[in-house]
Amino acid sequence: MTTLHRAISAFAGALALLALLAVPAGAQADKGAGNGLLDPNKAAESELAQIPPMTPAIVKGLIERRPFKSVVDLNKVLLEQKLTADQAKEFYRKAFVPINLNTGTPEEFLLIPGVGSRMAKEFAEYRPWKTWPQFDKEIGKYVGQQEADRLKQYVFIPPS
């Protein structure tokens, strides 16, 4: 390998390292969170319109009221738009405002499809949340790994 090739390889490696370091800390901490769900604050009108039971009028109302600080705020708007609680839960299977595990309220956690009061208490009990392996260990012992993985799409762990 020539000196030029070594220099080019070293430069490429340094660029790759810089690109990795440039990823915001929050993005690294949130890895795995939110996968598979649309963020109602960022989703395009066409994406929201495809989610049952959305209508053009409801989608327009959502877009006009953005941004939603929490899923509780989103829930209020959906209920004002005459969706039932069950219809809102169905919407949350496709779109959700992620909840900070370290500051989320029981009211927020209870809006996650399939979460009851016991699981909402477990989310709060193990604070502060620092890593996804911690989440897998503590929540997974109650619901299993598959359900813990499903729940991760509704929550995030803030960067330290």
Side-chain angles (χ1 to χ4, degrees):
M1 182 180 257
T2 68
T3 303
L4 179 61
H5 284 123
R6 278 186 231 149
I8 291 171
S9 294
F11 182 72
L15 283 177
L17 179 60
L18 284 173
L20 179 62
L21 293 174
V23 174
Q28 293 173 13
D30 291 346
K31 185 178 180 189
N35 291 339
L37 295 176
L38 291 175
D39 182 338
N41 285 319
K42 299 175 185 173
E45 184 174 346
S46 59
E47 293 174 307
L48 293 170
Q50 294 177 18
I51 302 173
M54 303 311 291
T55 65
I58 295 171
V59 171
K60 183 179 179 190
L62 285 180
I63 290 173
E64 288 173 355
R65 302 278 297 272
R66 294 197 291 201
F68 304 104
K69 292 180 186 176
S70 72
V71 69
V72 172
D73 293 339
L74 172 62
N75 194 60
K76 288 176 186 171
V77 172
L78 290 175
L79 297 179
E80 287 170 5
Q81 297 288 326
K82 306 299 183 219
L83 265 65
T84 65
D86 287 340
Q87 288 172 319
K89 285 276 189 182
E90 189 59 34
F91 178 81
Y92 298 146
R93 295 184 190 286
K94 303 290 183 186
F96 201 80
V97 178
I99 302 167
N100 180 332
L101 274 171
N102 288 329
T103 61
T105 65
E107 186 179 13
E108 289 175 300
F109 292 134
L110 290 170
L111 290 172
I112 298 172
V115 168
S117 59
R118 180 168 184 244
M119 185 54 62
K121 288 177 186 172
E122 298 302 332
F123 288 147
E125 180 178 333
Y126 290 101
R127 290 176 179 165
W129 293 99
K130 295 181 180 178
T131 65
W132 289 117
Q134 175 194 7
F135 183 88
D136 292 340
K137 177 185 173 196
E138 302 301 349
I139 298 303
K141 69 185 173 189
Y142 297 105
V143 297
Q145 188 60 51
Q146 185 175 359
E147 179 66 1
D149 288 341
R150 184 190 74 83
L151 292 170
K152 287 178 191 176
Q153 61 186 340
Y154 294 95
V155 297
F156 70 94
I157 297 173
S160 301

